[in-house]
Amino acid sequence: MKKLGRLIGWFIVVPFLSRAQEADNSPIHQLIAELYEQYAAESEEEPDVENFFEELTALAARPLELNSSSRRELERLPFLSELQVENLLYHRFTYGAFTSLYELQLVEGFDMTDIRRMLPFIRLGEAENEREELRWWEVKQYGRHELYLRNDYSRQSLPYDGDRLHSWAKYRFEFRDRIRFNLTAEKDAGERWWDASRGGVDFVSSSLQLRSQGVVSNLILGDFTAGFGQGLVLRQGFRRGKSAMTTQVAIRDSGFKRYASTNEHLFFRGAAATFHFGKTDLSTFLSCRKIDATFDGSVFRNIYTSGLHRTPSEIEKDDRVTQHSMGVNLSYTQLYYELGLTAVYTRFDTPLQPEIKPYSYYYFRGSHQLTSGLHYRFRVHYFNFFGEAALTRWPGAGTINGVSFAPSSRVNIALVHRYYARSFSPLFASAFSAQSRVGNESGFYAGVEMALLARWKLSAYADSYRFGWLKYGVDAPSVGNDFLLQLQHTPSRQLQLTLRYRYRQAYGSERSGQSPLIAVQQEKKRSGRMQLDYTTGRVVFRNAMEANRFDGTGLAATGYAAWQDVIFQLQRLPLKMTFRYLFFDIPGGDNRIYTYETDVLHAFSSPSFSGKGSRYYLVAQYEIGKQISVWLKAAQLRYADGRTHIGSGSSAVAGDSRTEFHFLMRFRIRNH
Amino acid sequence: MKNLLIVAILAGSYQLATAQSWFPLSHPLSAGGTPATDTRHRGLFLNPALHAPVKHPQLYAEYESRYSITELASKGLAFAYPFSHFTVTAEFRYSGFEAYHELLAGVAVARDFGGKFGMGLQLVSDSRYSVETDRYYTAFYPYLGLTVPLSPALLLGISTFNPFLKKMKYAAAERTMPSVYSAGLNVKITESVQWRLQADKEISNALRVGSAFDISVSGSVFFQAGVSYLHFVVPALGAGFLVRRWRFDLTATLHPLLGLSVAGGLGYHF
């Protein structure tokens, strides 16, 4: 009884005594929410932002020193445009070192939104000496250990052998920005905890990263991702396409990153290193890993990317093909320009032969592929040019070229042209495009951001594209147009109003399937959103409403959704809570609406809604002293349209509601 | 004949079926159906957060003659008592006739957070009686409300009634009960003129929008003119006055198909 009393006392009293402020992840979550929601609305795939989040979290844990950061370091801030980075460097050069972070308001092209986004990632103070020799006693003493344990539980029983828990555990070690190690183990809901025939836990990933070790600026052993240039040859992970950040279309970050996500597909496994020689960087990697695949006789038809192994047919796809990859990138960086060459060679132990259908006629087939490309960036006055050209096997070529510039301090413009031949089908590309696949597309994009008046910001883009060959779901060559217009009003630090209108015109195939002829129809989707963010003290309110209209041949429907978020942080307890109530009335799948959801740390989702119903959740975060943090999410989705099943196929569950609980616990050991 | 008419209307007319499903949220005194931000505090079962600024204990009685049909009339009573940190309100409304009637009762707790925002939570009990079964069936819903003054002249009001889609369980079946999300704005154009705008979305119905102008003359006489739209344009006119501790409200609403409804309210604050 005494012990119980102590335990309760510890849980309640320790937080009061604790004065340590954890790095607040809200700005990172907010930034990811903005990017994620945009991306999810454009793509059929769920973006993997877990690694992106890891990078931002690491950056927030070790913010950039504003007066000594190089251009390349500042370009790690994904929300800053090239011009903003340029203006910041110019300001520092002209007026000397920043004496206060508030001085950022004087830098041309920065508004309060930009500064608010930057604050968690920058600092003023002593610069770190990256070349300093590693002392192992310092590593031991000042290294930071973190252990994350997560369980997601669904109340509805699943039709699989394994239990309904989705669980993962992550261990992470960091010493400044020099040494990082992580180990991840995961099982999805419906998978077995332990399957000896498949090597134990469903997914295990690990990596060790060493930075700034003499001439080796970055070394990773284990799992990693790679990205160079504009992503025409090689880029894995979160791809930023069209979004409300309309002029941020050039990809700037490059190199190897350790892999810490639970996504079971988007990574290499082996070794990667970057060697730094003055202005030249040489990056090279070697990878050998098993990938999941759907087999048909002696060939495989496609790569299975979901990572789910719940049913015998899913388990049958597990680790069926060995993929060997090697690659190299050579980059030369000068003050005003950068040039690079990237080449990747991949070999499968079994040939890839996608089923021959008209739309997949030009997909990559074979057991090996070499992709190579050249990328560039250069600056002339206020113009920043960027681009890349790549080749798989002739005539499989692709190129993307763009420019961003600011005709005045209040206007930013970005123009991008891309051409990807129909036979251009690189295995690891992730570049700017209107579809998730890079290939069979040409188009022109124009984006603009204008500070109309003080506190008013207008963003817009127009993207016109053409698919020269058939694509999945469209049985003829087709064209499309996307437009976005967003008006943002920030009358005070506490209040922000966002109005967004999006119009999309594309082609889809006739749904009835009755016609023997190719029947392609024009489809239009218009959507409007109004969002109001209001902060008062420790409480944040967010109201949003979205309505859309879809028009296809013989189909026209209007959908609505509205939601209310209340986020509050208690004053006396280290407890933060987020509540959402959302309702939706969305008649069809074509009208589906995406909304970003707050979740436990390291979890991201932007579910799409269709049908009639409501969803509500409560997320609580509680800090138990300096070492332990706990997150809990309880959520329910309830339909009011009389359905008796949720989901489809083998994952359908009976009933008109779905209840889920997410739990995450973080143990943190900091030796200083 | 009248009973037949009532039954026919209740059972057959789509428009009235819609009206019927909205019945628990009827706000006949707030012109244009704009109770989410009706700071004059007219009627019962308003946005629960609007109870937060109540300064004195008060009693309020409401009567509505719906479409001039006695059997559809409703009678209600409310009592609000402000404590030092929050206000507690008890409300009760009876509507219908002997063979079929509905009893709506609610207890609300509302708090004003230093003028920065107000929140209210009401637990509503909805009981229905039908002579066919000769018993009452009851369901309980939460009714949540929020008011946020975005500026001295602009008030945002949000409320959600039955957010968890609770159903009424009858002997042999379940009936989905109304679940309504409302968002409204109150713009103080001048000290004496307010403009209210509200959108309501019941989960199984189309969007309803309403708007009203609210004019005060010398702080003791009020006039309202509003209009709402859900399949039909429904205009409403209202007036009210304060005499010492007493207040009186009267609002007339004209539905183009179903006819005229008149509602009156009488309040007293202690």
Side-chain angles (χ1 to χ4, degrees), chain B residues 205-257:
Chain B
N205 280 289
L207 189 74
R208 193 194 70 90
V209 288
S211 180
F213 280 96
D214 195 327
I215 300 159
S216 140
V217 180
S218 68
S220 56
V221 180
F222 304 98
F223 295 100
Q224 290 184 90
V227 65
S228 66
Y229 178 79
L230 171 67
H231 308 303
F232 296 95
V233 175
V234 181
L237 281 173
F241 58 86
L242 298 174
V243 180
R244 294 182 184 171
R245 293 167 181 260
W246 294 90
R247 63 178 288 180
F248 178 71
D249 296 304
L250 186 72
T251 304
T253 306
L254 182 65
H255 192 288
L257 181 71

Side-chain angles (χ1 to χ4, degrees), chain A residues 534 536 543 583 585 613 656, chain B residues 116 148 158 163-164 167 201 203:
Chain A
Y534 179 74
T536 170
N543 290 93
F583 89 89
D585 181 354
D656 63 354
Chain B
K116 291 176 177 172
V148 182
I158 303 286
F164 307 135
K167 294 175 180 171
K201 181 70 180 77
I203 202 103

Side-chain angles (χ1 to χ4, degrees), chain A residues 195-242:
Chain A
D195 190 341
S197 63
R198 296 175 50 237
V201 181
D202 180 66
F203 177 64
V204 178
S205 171
S206 177
S207 65
L208 173 67
Q209 181 178 33
L210 302 171
R211 289 169 61 92
S212 307
Q213 302 294 313
V215 75
V216 182
S217 62
N218 188 12
L219 171 70
I220 302 176
L221 301 173
D223 295 345
F224 61 92
T225 62
F228 296 99
Q230 297 302 312
L232 273 193
V233 178
L234 181 59
R235 183 159 295 276
Q236 291 163 303
F238 183 54
R239 178 181 68 102
R240 290 175 57 194
K242 286 173 277 187

Side-chain angles (χ1 to χ4, degrees), chain A residues 32-136:
Chain A
I32 289 179
E34 286 171 20
L35 294 170
Y36 197 101
E37 219 163 11
Q38 294 286 325
Y39 184 92
E42 299 283 347
S43 169
E44 297 295 313
E45 299 167 0
E46 275 276 298
D48 175 34
V49 289
E50 215 174 316
N51 229 35
F52 182 64
F53 172 75
E54 288 273 347
E55 288 297 317
L56 288 177
T57 308
L59 196 60
R62 303 202 60 75
L64 298 173
E65 204 288 310
L66 195 58
N67 287 320
S68 58
S69 295
S70 64
R71 177 193 302 276
R72 180 161 283 197
E73 284 173 320
L74 290 169
E75 284 179 347
R76 289 170 67 191
L77 300 173
F79 40 83
L80 291 188
S81 68
E82 294 200 328
L83 193 79
Q84 284 174 317
V85 172
E86 189 59 44
N87 288 346
L88 200 151
L89 292 171
Y90 178 77
H91 185 95
R92 199 171 72 187
F93 176 77
T94 311
Y95 301 103
F98 287 89
T99 52
S100 160
L101 292 177
Y102 295 105
E103 210 179 317
L104 282 168
Q105 293 180 73
L106 303 175
V107 180
E108 209 169 290
F110 278 68
D111 60 18
M112 279 312 295
T113 309
D114 300 316
I115 295 168
R116 204 179 298 141
R117 282 176 181 157
M118 276 181 82
L119 288 178
F121 307 106
I122 54 171
R123 67 182 176 90
L124 287 175
E126 290 287 310
E128 277 186 22
N129 183 5
E130 284 207 337
R131 299 282 160 198
E132 198 178 331
E133 193 184 335
L134 267 183
R135 297 180 189 89
W136 292 106

Side-chain angles (χ1 to χ4, degrees), chain B residues 39-57:
Chain B
T39 51
R40 310 270 193 225
H41 215 261
R42 302 176 178 94
L44 274 61
F45 296 99
L46 300 165
N47 177 352
L50 290 171
H51 300 307
V54 169
K55 291 188 173 63
H56 307 285

